[in-house]
């Protein structure tokens, strides 16, 4: 197993990255960055493995970003498992772990200047979590700057398709603000029962976990209909979720994968191109999100 180097300040991170990039002896080595909030599971491992497969040097960051939590209780109880996280990242072959303290990332407290996620950040997750995506984009911008190679190198960053709206927004930030990095989405990793892996799944009791499965079941139903060229009938998939006691649906929509604009998905609407089904629901006090790509 690899023992990643631990960096806790941007200066330490930059030094470690330069040393490892130079040690490759290549003219233009590749650096992969995997930003996380820790409490790592197989979904994060897939990101680290994808970065490992494509790059000479891999950095993962672990930082629970207070700026993206609209609910102080959610922030306070967010799981923190640094030792286990380092072991998982070492197993995945990560070279450097950047785990800064809150004071290091936000020395003067919350930053005055932030990245605005615009209209795209106010919909779906943003509508239920005001300010969430401005917080996400601000910390991702900072992390992308902190890990920016100081010597000639390819620069790539890896994000999970589990957070589809986040991926769409990060792509827009990178394009709109000319970040010199390539964004790579990584497919959703699911548990054997179909539940999308999430750091919040540890809070689900056994019954709640069974209830939560209705989300992936409803998504798979849409995927099957799309693949068979049948009408999507989103209302029937919605009904599957709302008829399940213990699950409170927040939203369930079929959208364009890039713009997240709503697409027609009624009982007589068939797909005319790629689409994404986005769902969010609460199981008890645990908020879960999931999504699936639909194609005819
Ligand atoms: P988080 O630690 O929850 O902020 O997630 C860090 C990264 O891991 C994000 O890019 C997430 O989209 C990604 N991720 C989380 N869960 C999964 C999953 N089940 N499959 C794939 N990627 C995931």
């Amino acid at each position: 197993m690899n023992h990643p180097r631990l960096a806790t300040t941007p200066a330490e991170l930059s030094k470690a990255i330069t040393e490892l990039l130079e040690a490759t002896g290549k003219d233009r080595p590749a650096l992969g960055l995997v930003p996380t909030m820790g409490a790592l599971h197989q979904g994060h491992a897939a990101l680290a493995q994808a970065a490992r497969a494509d790059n000479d040097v891999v950095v993962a960051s672990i930082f629970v970003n207070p700026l993206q939590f609209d609910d102080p209780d959610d922030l306070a109880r967010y799981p923190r498992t640094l030792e286990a996280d380092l072991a998982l990242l070492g197993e995945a072959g990560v070279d450097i772990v950047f785990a800064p303290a809150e004071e290091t990332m936000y020395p003067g407290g919350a930053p005055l200047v932030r990245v605005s996620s615009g209209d795209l950040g106010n919909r779906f997750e943003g509508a239920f979590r005001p300010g969430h995506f401005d917080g996400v984009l601000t910390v991702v911008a900072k992390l992308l700057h902190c890990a920016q190679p100081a010597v000639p190198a390819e620069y790539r960053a890896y994000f999970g398709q589990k957070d589809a709206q986040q991926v769409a927004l990060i792509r827009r930030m990178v394009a709109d603000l000319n970040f010199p990095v390539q964004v790579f989405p990584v497919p959703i990793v699911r548990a054997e029962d179909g539940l999308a892996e999430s750091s919040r799944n540890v809070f689900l009791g056994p019954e709640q976990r069974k209830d939560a499965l209705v989300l992936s079941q409803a998504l798979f139903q849409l995927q099957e209909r799309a693949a068979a060229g049948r009408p999507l009938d989103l209302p029937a998939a919605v009904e599957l979720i709302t008829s399940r006691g213990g699950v409170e649906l927040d939203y369930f929509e079929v959208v364009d994968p890039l713009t997240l604009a709503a697409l027609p998905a009624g009982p007589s609407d068939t797909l005319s191109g790629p689409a994404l089904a986005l769902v969010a629901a609460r199981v008890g006090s645990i908020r879960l999100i999931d999504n699936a790509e639909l194609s005819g």
Side-chain angles (χ1 to χ4, degrees), residues 141-174:
K142 286 171 73 82
L143 292 168
L144 287 170
H145 288 317
C146 289
Q148 170 82 50
V151 293
E154 292 298 322
Y155 188 21
R156 304 179 178 129
Y158 295 78
F159 297 91
Q161 191 58 31
K162 159 88 175 5
D163 298 284
Q165 190 176 7
Q166 175 172 290
V167 171
L169 278 161
I170 290 169
R171 282 184 184 286
R172 283 305 300 257
M173 176 178 79
V174 164

Short mmCIF file of all heavy atoms in Angstrom, two decimals, residues 141-174:
data_model
loop_
_atom_site.label_atom_id
_atom_site.label_comp_id
_atom_site.label_asym_id
_atom_site.label_seq_id
_atom_site.Cartn_x
_atom_site.Cartn_y
_atom_site.Cartn_z
N ALA A 141 -12.78 26.29 -6.58
CA ALA A 141 -11.86 27.27 -7.20
C ALA A 141 -10.58 27.36 -6.38
O ALA A 141 -9.46 27.33 -6.91
CB ALA A 141 -12.53 28.63 -7.31
N LYS A 142 -10.73 27.44 -5.05
CA LYS A 142 -9.54 27.54 -4.19
C LYS A 142 -8.68 26.27 -4.30
O LYS A 142 -7.45 26.35 -4.40
CB LYS A 142 -9.97 27.76 -2.73
CG LYS A 142 -10.48 29.18 -2.46
CD LYS A 142 -11.10 29.30 -1.08
CE LYS A 142 -10.07 29.29 0.02
NZ LYS A 142 -9.42 30.60 0.27
N LEU A 143 -9.33 25.12 -4.26
CA LEU A 143 -8.56 23.86 -4.33
C LEU A 143 -7.85 23.72 -5.67
O LEU A 143 -6.70 23.28 -5.74
CB LEU A 143 -9.49 22.66 -4.08
CG LEU A 143 -10.04 22.57 -2.65
CD1 LEU A 143 -11.17 21.55 -2.57
CD2 LEU A 143 -8.93 22.19 -1.66
N LEU A 144 -8.55 24.13 -6.75
CA LEU A 144 -7.91 24.06 -8.07
C LEU A 144 -6.69 24.99 -8.12
O LEU A 144 -5.67 24.65 -8.72
CB LEU A 144 -8.91 24.42 -9.18
CG LEU A 144 -9.97 23.35 -9.48
CD1 LEU A 144 -11.06 23.90 -10.41
CD2 LEU A 144 -9.33 22.11 -10.13
N HIS A 145 -6.78 26.13 -7.49
CA HIS A 145 -5.61 27.03 -7.43
C HIS A 145 -4.50 26.43 -6.58
O HIS A 145 -3.33 26.48 -6.94
CB HIS A 145 -6.01 28.39 -6.86
CG HIS A 145 -6.85 29.21 -7.78
ND1 HIS A 145 -6.58 29.34 -9.13
CD2 HIS A 145 -7.95 29.95 -7.56
CE1 HIS A 145 -7.49 30.12 -9.69
NE2 HIS A 145 -8.34 30.49 -8.76
N CYS A 146 -4.87 25.87 -5.44
CA CYS A 146 -3.85 25.33 -4.51
C CYS A 146 -3.06 24.20 -5.16
O CYS A 146 -1.87 24.04 -4.88
CB CYS A 146 -4.49 24.83 -3.22
SG CYS A 146 -5.12 26.14 -2.16
N ALA A 147 -3.72 23.38 -5.98
CA ALA A 147 -3.05 22.21 -6.56
C ALA A 147 -2.50 22.50 -7.96
O ALA A 147 -1.92 21.63 -8.59
CB ALA A 147 -4.01 21.03 -6.61
N GLN A 148 -2.69 23.71 -8.45
CA GLN A 148 -2.22 24.09 -9.79
C GLN A 148 -0.73 23.80 -9.94
O GLN A 148 0.07 24.31 -9.16
CB GLN A 148 -2.49 25.59 -9.97
CG GLN A 148 -1.88 26.23 -11.19
CD GLN A 148 -2.74 25.99 -12.41
OE1 GLN A 148 -3.93 26.23 -12.38
NE2 GLN A 148 -2.12 25.52 -13.47
N PRO A 149 -0.32 22.98 -10.92
CA PRO A 149 1.11 22.67 -11.07
C PRO A 149 1.93 23.94 -11.36
O PRO A 149 1.51 24.77 -12.17
CB PRO A 149 1.15 21.72 -12.26
CG PRO A 149 -0.24 21.22 -12.45
CD PRO A 149 -1.15 22.27 -11.91
N ALA A 150 3.07 24.05 -10.70
CA ALA A 150 3.95 25.21 -10.90
C ALA A 150 5.00 24.92 -11.98
O ALA A 150 5.78 25.78 -12.32
CB ALA A 150 4.62 25.60 -9.59
N VAL A 151 5.02 23.68 -12.47
CA VAL A 151 5.92 23.31 -13.57
C VAL A 151 5.03 22.82 -14.72
O VAL A 151 3.87 22.47 -14.48
CB VAL A 151 6.91 22.19 -13.13
CG1 VAL A 151 7.87 22.73 -12.08
CG2 VAL A 151 6.17 20.96 -12.62
N PRO A 152 5.55 22.78 -15.96
CA PRO A 152 4.68 22.36 -17.08
C PRO A 152 4.07 20.99 -16.82
O PRO A 152 4.78 20.03 -16.52
CB PRO A 152 5.64 22.31 -18.28
CG PRO A 152 6.75 23.25 -17.91
CD PRO A 152 6.89 23.15 -16.43
N ALA A 153 2.74 20.89 -16.90
CA ALA A 153 2.05 19.62 -16.62
C ALA A 153 0.64 19.68 -17.16
O ALA A 153 0.05 20.76 -17.29
CB ALA A 153 2.02 19.35 -15.12
N GLU A 154 0.09 18.50 -17.49
CA GLU A 154 -1.35 18.39 -17.74
C GLU A 154 -2.02 18.49 -16.38
O GLU A 154 -1.50 17.96 -15.39
CB GLU A 154 -1.70 17.03 -18.34
CG GLU A 154 -1.19 16.78 -19.73
CD GLU A 154 -1.78 17.76 -20.72
OE1 GLU A 154 -2.97 18.10 -20.60
OE2 GLU A 154 -1.03 18.20 -21.61
N TYR A 155 -3.20 19.11 -16.34
CA TYR A 155 -3.89 19.27 -15.05
C TYR A 155 -5.32 18.79 -15.22
O TYR A 155 -6.05 19.29 -16.07
CB TYR A 155 -3.84 20.74 -14.65
CG TYR A 155 -4.32 21.07 -13.26
CD1 TYR A 155 -4.37 20.10 -12.25
CD2 TYR A 155 -4.72 22.37 -12.94
CE1 TYR A 155 -4.81 20.43 -10.98
CE2 TYR A 155 -5.14 22.71 -11.67
CZ TYR A 155 -5.19 21.73 -10.69
OH TYR A 155 -5.61 22.06 -9.43
N ARG A 156 -5.69 17.79 -14.43
CA ARG A 156 -7.02 17.19 -14.54
C ARG A 156 -7.68 17.12 -13.17
O ARG A 156 -7.00 16.88 -12.17
CB ARG A 156 -6.91 15.77 -15.10
CG ARG A 156 -6.18 15.73 -16.43
CD ARG A 156 -6.07 14.31 -16.95
NE ARG A 156 -5.42 14.32 -18.25
CZ ARG A 156 -4.39 13.56 -18.59
NH1 ARG A 156 -3.90 12.68 -17.73
NH2 ARG A 156 -3.84 13.65 -19.77
N ALA A 157 -9.01 17.29 -13.15
CA ALA A 157 -9.73 17.18 -11.87
C ALA A 157 -10.91 16.23 -12.06
O ALA A 157 -11.55 16.22 -13.11
CB ALA A 157 -10.22 18.55 -11.42
N TYR A 158 -11.18 15.44 -11.03
CA TYR A 158 -12.15 14.34 -11.10
C TYR A 158 -13.31 14.58 -10.15
O TYR A 158 -13.10 14.85 -8.96
CB TYR A 158 -11.44 13.01 -10.78
CG TYR A 158 -10.41 12.68 -11.83
CD1 TYR A 158 -9.18 13.33 -11.83
CD2 TYR A 158 -10.70 11.80 -12.86
CE1 TYR A 158 -8.26 13.08 -12.83
CE2 TYR A 158 -9.77 11.54 -13.86
CZ TYR A 158 -8.56 12.19 -13.84
OH TYR A 158 -7.65 11.95 -14.83
N PHE A 159 -14.52 14.47 -10.70
CA PHE A 159 -15.73 14.69 -9.89
C PHE A 159 -16.74 13.60 -10.17
O PHE A 159 -16.83 13.10 -11.30
CB PHE A 159 -16.34 16.06 -10.22
CG PHE A 159 -15.43 17.21 -9.89
CD1 PHE A 159 -14.55 17.71 -10.83
CD2 PHE A 159 -15.42 17.76 -8.61
CE1 PHE A 159 -13.67 18.74 -10.52
CE2 PHE A 159 -14.56 18.81 -8.29
CZ PHE A 159 -13.69 19.30 -9.24
N GLY A 160 -17.52 13.24 -9.15
CA GLY A 160 -18.48 12.15 -9.29
C GLY A 160 -19.77 12.60 -9.97
O GLY A 160 -20.33 13.66 -9.64
N GLN A 161 -20.25 11.77 -10.88
CA GLN A 161 -21.52 12.03 -11.55
C GLN A 161 -22.68 11.92 -10.56
O GLN A 161 -23.78 12.38 -10.83
CB GLN A 161 -21.67 11.04 -12.71
CG GLN A 161 -22.79 11.31 -13.67
CD GLN A 161 -22.71 12.68 -14.33
OE1 GLN A 161 -21.64 13.22 -14.55
NE2 GLN A 161 -23.88 13.24 -14.62
N LYS A 162 -22.43 11.33 -9.40
CA LYS A 162 -23.43 11.28 -8.33
C LYS A 162 -23.99 12.68 -8.06
O LYS A 162 -25.18 12.86 -7.80
CB LYS A 162 -22.78 10.72 -7.07
CG LYS A 162 -23.46 11.03 -5.76
CD LYS A 162 -24.49 10.00 -5.45
CE LYS A 162 -25.18 10.13 -4.12
NZ LYS A 162 -24.91 11.24 -3.29
N ASP A 163 -23.09 13.69 -8.12
CA ASP A 163 -23.51 15.08 -7.91
C ASP A 163 -23.56 15.75 -9.29
O ASP A 163 -22.68 16.54 -9.65
CB ASP A 163 -22.53 15.78 -6.97
CG ASP A 163 -22.51 15.12 -5.60
OD1 ASP A 163 -23.45 15.34 -4.83
OD2 ASP A 163 -21.59 14.33 -5.33
N ALA A 164 -24.57 15.39 -10.07
CA ALA A 164 -24.61 15.78 -11.49
C ALA A 164 -24.69 17.30 -11.65
O ALA A 164 -24.05 17.87 -12.54
CB ALA A 164 -25.80 15.12 -12.17
N GLN A 165 -25.46 17.96 -10.79
CA GLN A 165 -25.58 19.42 -10.90
C GLN A 165 -24.24 20.08 -10.58
O GLN A 165 -23.85 21.06 -11.21
CB GLN A 165 -26.68 19.92 -9.95
CG GLN A 165 -27.04 21.38 -10.16
CD GLN A 165 -28.19 21.83 -9.29
OE1 GLN A 165 -28.66 21.08 -8.42
NE2 GLN A 165 -28.66 23.05 -9.50
N GLN A 166 -23.55 19.49 -9.60
CA GLN A 166 -22.21 20.00 -9.24
C GLN A 166 -21.26 19.88 -10.43
O GLN A 166 -20.52 20.82 -10.74
CB GLN A 166 -21.71 19.20 -8.05
CG GLN A 166 -20.30 19.50 -7.61
CD GLN A 166 -19.98 18.80 -6.30
OE1 GLN A 166 -20.50 19.15 -5.26
NE2 GLN A 166 -19.13 17.80 -6.33
N VAL A 167 -21.28 18.73 -11.11
CA VAL A 167 -20.41 18.55 -12.27
C VAL A 167 -20.75 19.59 -13.34
O VAL A 167 -19.86 20.23 -13.91
CB VAL A 167 -20.54 17.12 -12.87
CG1 VAL A 167 -19.80 17.02 -14.19
CG2 VAL A 167 -20.01 16.08 -11.89
N ALA A 168 -22.05 19.79 -13.60
CA ALA A 168 -22.46 20.76 -14.62
C ALA A 168 -21.95 22.16 -14.25
O ALA A 168 -21.43 22.90 -15.10
CB ALA A 168 -23.98 20.76 -14.76
N LEU A 169 -22.06 22.51 -12.97
CA LEU A 169 -21.63 23.84 -12.54
C LEU A 169 -20.10 23.99 -12.58
O LEU A 169 -19.59 25.05 -12.95
CB LEU A 169 -22.14 24.12 -11.12
CG LEU A 169 -23.59 24.60 -11.08
CD1 LEU A 169 -24.19 24.41 -9.70
CD2 LEU A 169 -23.65 26.07 -11.50
N ILE A 170 -19.39 22.95 -12.20
CA ILE A 170 -17.92 23.03 -12.22
C ILE A 170 -17.43 23.15 -13.67
O ILE A 170 -16.54 23.94 -13.97
CB ILE A 170 -17.28 21.84 -11.47
CG1 ILE A 170 -17.54 22.02 -9.97
CG2 ILE A 170 -15.77 21.76 -11.75
CD1 ILE A 170 -17.22 20.82 -9.12
N ARG A 171 -18.06 22.40 -14.57
CA ARG A 171 -17.71 22.54 -15.99
C ARG A 171 -17.91 23.98 -16.45
O ARG A 171 -17.10 24.54 -17.18
CB ARG A 171 -18.60 21.64 -16.86
CG ARG A 171 -18.21 20.18 -16.86
CD ARG A 171 -19.15 19.49 -17.86
NE ARG A 171 -18.99 18.07 -17.95
CZ ARG A 171 -17.97 17.45 -18.54
NH1 ARG A 171 -17.00 18.15 -19.07
NH2 ARG A 171 -17.92 16.14 -18.59
N ARG A 172 -19.04 24.58 -16.04
CA ARG A 172 -19.32 25.97 -16.43
C ARG A 172 -18.31 26.92 -15.81
O ARG A 172 -17.83 27.85 -16.46
CB ARG A 172 -20.74 26.38 -16.02
CG ARG A 172 -21.84 25.86 -16.91
CD ARG A 172 -21.65 26.22 -18.39
NE ARG A 172 -21.60 27.67 -18.63
CZ ARG A 172 -22.59 28.38 -19.12
NH1 ARG A 172 -23.73 27.80 -19.42
NH2 ARG A 172 -22.46 29.68 -19.31
N MET A 173 -17.96 26.72 -14.55
CA MET A 173 -16.98 27.61 -13.91
C MET A 173 -15.65 27.54 -14.64
O MET A 173 -15.03 28.57 -14.93
CB MET A 173 -16.79 27.22 -12.44
CG MET A 173 -15.71 28.06 -11.76
SD MET A 173 -15.49 27.69 -10.02
CE MET A 173 -14.52 26.19 -10.10
N VAL A 174 -15.22 26.31 -14.95
CA VAL A 174 -13.93 26.11 -15.62
C VAL A 174 -13.93 26.78 -17.00
O VAL A 174 -12.97 27.44 -17.39
CB VAL A 174 -13.61 24.60 -15.69
CG1 VAL A 174 -12.50 24.30 -16.69
CG2 VAL A 174 -13.22 24.09 -14.29
#
